[in-house]
Amino acid sequence: MSPSIRFVPITVLCLLLAACFETFPPVSSAVVTHHQGVKPQGATQQLSPEQIASVSAWLQDHRWGWYPVTATYGPGILILATHADGTLFRINLMQKVLIVGQHQRSLSKEESRELHSMIGTKDDR
C-alpha cells in the first residue's frame, strides 16, 4: 500500500477521535437545582469550594467520550456553573447521561454515583 493511501484512514481516525475530546475551563462557582419532570424541587443549593473543585477535576479527568447534544433532555439535577472568566454554563446530570453546555457523555453506573456523591445528591439507580 502506498504511503498516501495509508494517510487517508489515519487522518479520518484522528478527526473522529478529536471530535470526542472536550476540555472545560475550571468552575469557579455553582448552584444545584433538583428537578422532577420539568419542575424544580426544593431550594437551590450552593456548592462548596470542595464540591466545585471535585466537579472541575472530574470534567478535566473525563475529556474523552463527548459528543454534540443529539436530543432535548428534561432537567435532572441541573447545575448552573460559572467559569473563572464569568461565563455561565449548564450541567444536566441524569442517570445515564451528563450534558455540559452543548456536549453530552454517557455515564457508567460508577461515574453517575461518583458525580452524585461529589455534589451531595442521591443516584436513584
Side-chain angles (χ1 to χ4, degrees), residues 15 20 33-34 39 45 51 77 100 103 106:
L15 289 172
C20 297
T33 305
H34 301 265
K39 293 184 180 183
Q45 167 194 350
Q51 290 170 311
I77 296 174
V100 179
H103 307 284
S106 295

Side-chain angles (χ1 to χ4, degrees), residues 21-32:
F21 182 83
E22 287 298 328
T23 57
F24 301 101
V27 178
S28 62
S29 66
V31 294
V32 176

Side-chain angles (χ1 to χ4, degrees), residues 21-84:
F21 182 83
E22 287 298 328
T23 57
F24 301 101
V27 178
S28 62
S29 66
V31 294
V32 176
T33 305
H34 301 265
H35 286 77
Q36 187 166 14
V38 294
K39 293 184 180 183
Q41 302 293 309
T44 299
Q45 167 194 350
Q46 180 75 37
L47 291 184
S48 71
E50 293 81 16
Q51 290 170 311
I52 292 167
S54 294
V55 170
S56 275
W58 192 94
L59 289 171
Q60 295 307 311
D61 292 343
H62 294 83
R63 294 178 181 174
W64 291 98
W66 295 92
Y67 297 92
V69 173
T70 58
T72 301
Y73 294 97
I77 296 174
L78 190 61
I79 303 169
L80 182 57
T82 305
H83 293 299

